Amino acid sequence: MSKLIKVTAKSPVNIALVKYWGKRDSKLILPCNSSISVCLDNTETITTIEFTENIDKHQIRINNGELKNDEKDLEKFIDKILELTQNKNLHARITSTTTVPVAAGLASSAAGFSALALAARSALGLALNEKDLSILARQGSGSACRSIPDGFVEWYKGNNPDGSDSYAGSIVNAEYWPEFRIISTIISTSKKPISSRTGMSQTVETCPFYKGWLETVEDDLESMRKGIKGKDIILVGETAEANALKMHATMITTKPSIIYWLPATIEIINKVKSIRESGIPVYFTIDAGPNVKVICEEKNVKLIERELKKIPDVMETITSKPSIGARLTNEHLR
Ligand code: PMV
């Protein structure tokens, strides 16, 4: 193994435009359907890692000790990565900060696990290319595999039982569609009551409409690829909005029912629809949480932000454009 060094990686959040919902293998984190997302600037995790034989357990600190549960998940993931090395005596010192409200449906785990996968790979000198790295990040949190490549990204569900063909690759890079914007509205920063992991398995097991989700997702993927390549905000927006509503319909109809929305979620949906009726192409998507992400073009951002901020429960809006994926930096965290 090459000399051990301190390494820092930065990785963006990604927001799915065609969602991943449901696993066919929960150990390897293999999805039932492919998904498409966009990496966002302004929202990232920075992770510094250093391996050493001088400590006897991992030392992990996220946002200055704020996130104890996430620390446990990262510990397990680091053990998985260390299985790729021959050295049984190594432990990691990890410091991580995130600029995203954690576990509020803003895919903070995607940024966290992808940053950690890249930093650990480089610190351990593992020979993994982008595809391998995406496969590794996937095993931390499924959507993390989509934060490794650049720009608009597809996670191919794959068919192999060992997950070797379930990884993400770029459809187009971050510069391809510079006018594309996502406005993330924050109405709640509290941890969601039901994790994506639990929500997904409950859906696969009990939702009577899950088959319908799987039957229609291929068409959504096809339209989304076409919309992104053609920079067609209407096709991308309409497809993303319908796909998100379908996913939430499966959640709502599980036993027991999972409803992530708050009253302000619906207020934002209605606001987006009313702006759209005035002739502006604007759409929404929602992950496993109450916060709504608004899809639009740069030229309409100011007006849309102004309208969204009129809703009393909107605490904050974060506007992002497409970003590059995970990358290394020399700015180490202390
Ligand atoms: O990767 P996870 O476990 O955070 O699941 C992500 C699930 C959704 O955000 C709801 C959809 C998606 O494709 O990102």
Side-chain angles (χ1 to χ4, degrees):
M1 187 167 45
S2 58
K3 194 171 159 304
L4 294 170
I5 45 164
K6 189 188 249 191
V7 172
T8 300
K10 283 188 186 187
S11 192
V13 154
N14 72 73
I15 294 297
L17 299 168
V18 175
K19 308 293 184 191
Y20 142 57
W21 196 245
K23 296 181 179 70
R24 65 176 200 277
D25 181 323
S26 50
K27 194 154 179 284
L28 289 170
I29 313 195
L30 299 175
C32 295
N33 64 276
S34 297
S35 54
I36 292 179
S37 62
V38 56
C39 292
L40 300 184
D41 72 349
N42 284 340
T43 54
E44 64 185 6
T45 293
I46 306 174
T47 298
T48 297
I49 192 165
E50 193 175 13
F51 288 95
T52 171
E53 293 186 347
N54 301 334
I55 51 177
D56 56 10
K57 58 180 184 91
H58 305 310
Q59 296 174 357
I60 302 180
R61 220 175 145 66
I62 311 175
N63 284 4
N64 284 326
E66 214 185 296
L67 297 166
K68 295 285 176 219
N69 285 340
D70 296 50
E71 290 172 8
K72 293 257 164 330
D73 286 347
L74 291 194
E75 246 171 58
K76 279 190 223 144
F77 186 50
I78 277 295
D79 286 338
K80 198 181 284 258
I81 296 175
L82 280 169
E83 283 168 19
L84 302 172
T85 73
Q86 305 304 322
N87 192 334
K88 298 274 168 277
N89 302 318
L90 285 178
H91 287 94
R93 252 189 221 117
I94 298 170
T95 314
S96 190
T97 62
T98 178
T99 61
V100 197
V102 175
L106 277 172
S108 58
S109 64
F113 281 102
S114 53
L116 183 56
L118 174 60
R121 174 207 68 177
S122 306
L124 293 167
L126 300 171
L128 303 177
N129 60 21
E130 184 183 280
K131 174 181 167 185
D132 303 329
L133 197 57
S134 177
I135 288 174
L136 182 63
R138 189 200 76 219
Q139 294 170 72
S141 159
S143 57
C145 74
R146 297 188 311 232
S147 283
I148 299 288
D150 189 358
F152 291 83
V153 169
E154 177 158 356
W155 173 10
Y156 317 107
K157 74 178 181 68
N159 296 307
N160 297 344
D162 66 357
S164 54
D165 56 351
S166 184
Y167 67 99
S170 266
I171 299 172
V172 295
N173 67 24
E175 271 105 68
Y176 183 82
W177 192 0
E179 302 84 11
F180 183 87
R181 291 291 180 279
I182 297 249
I183 307 174
S184 303
T185 59
I186 315 285
I187 58 172
S188 163
T189 55
S190 37
K191 208 166 168 92
K192 57 196 172 207
I194 300 166
S195 68
S196 311
R197 191 177 304 169
T198 309
M200 276 185 213
S201 67
Q202 202 169 299
T203 305
V204 174
E205 278 160 33
T206 69
C207 174
F209 307 120
Y210 190 65
K211 209 166 147 256
W213 162 262
L214 290 179
E215 277 166 7
T216 57
V217 81
E218 279 305 323
D219 286 347
D220 293 349
L221 290 161
E222 188 55 44
S223 303
M224 189 55 71
R225 286 184 211 109
K226 191 167 162 224
I228 290 168
K229 286 182 189 152
K231 302 184 200 177
D232 182 340
I233 192 71
I234 298 176
L235 184 56
V236 167
E238 282 180 353
T239 308
E241 194 173 292
N243 179 267
L245 288 171
K246 256 190 288 182
M247 177 182 74
H248 282 269
T250 69
M251 296 165 170
I252 291 169
T253 49
T254 62
K255 281 188 198 145
S257 173
I258 304 167
I259 304 178
Y260 287 110
W261 297 1
L262 294 174
T265 310
I266 303 192
E267 267 187 83
I268 299 170
I269 291 176
N270 287 334
K271 176 69 84 178
V272 167
K273 285 187 174 178
S274 83
I275 305 172
R276 190 156 77 218
E277 272 155 24
S278 76
I280 292 173
V282 56
Y283 303 86
F284 63 84
T285 183
I286 310 168
D287 287 318
N291 294 314
V292 182
K293 289 94 191 178
V294 176
I295 300 165
C296 62
E297 290 166 307
E298 184 190 7
K299 61 181 180 211
N300 297 315
V301 161
K302 282 219 166 65
L303 180 148
I304 297 166
E305 277 177 349
R306 209 168 43 237
E307 285 301 311
L308 291 170
K309 282 178 181 157
K310 286 185 189 160
I311 298 171
D313 285 346
V314 171
M315 291 153 57
E316 198 189 340
T317 62
I318 305 170
T319 300
S320 309
K321 57 179 190 296
S323 156
I324 55 173
R327 69 272 187 197
L328 297 173
T329 163
N330 289 325
E331 297 156 37
H332 302 307
L333 299 172
R334 275 163 44 88

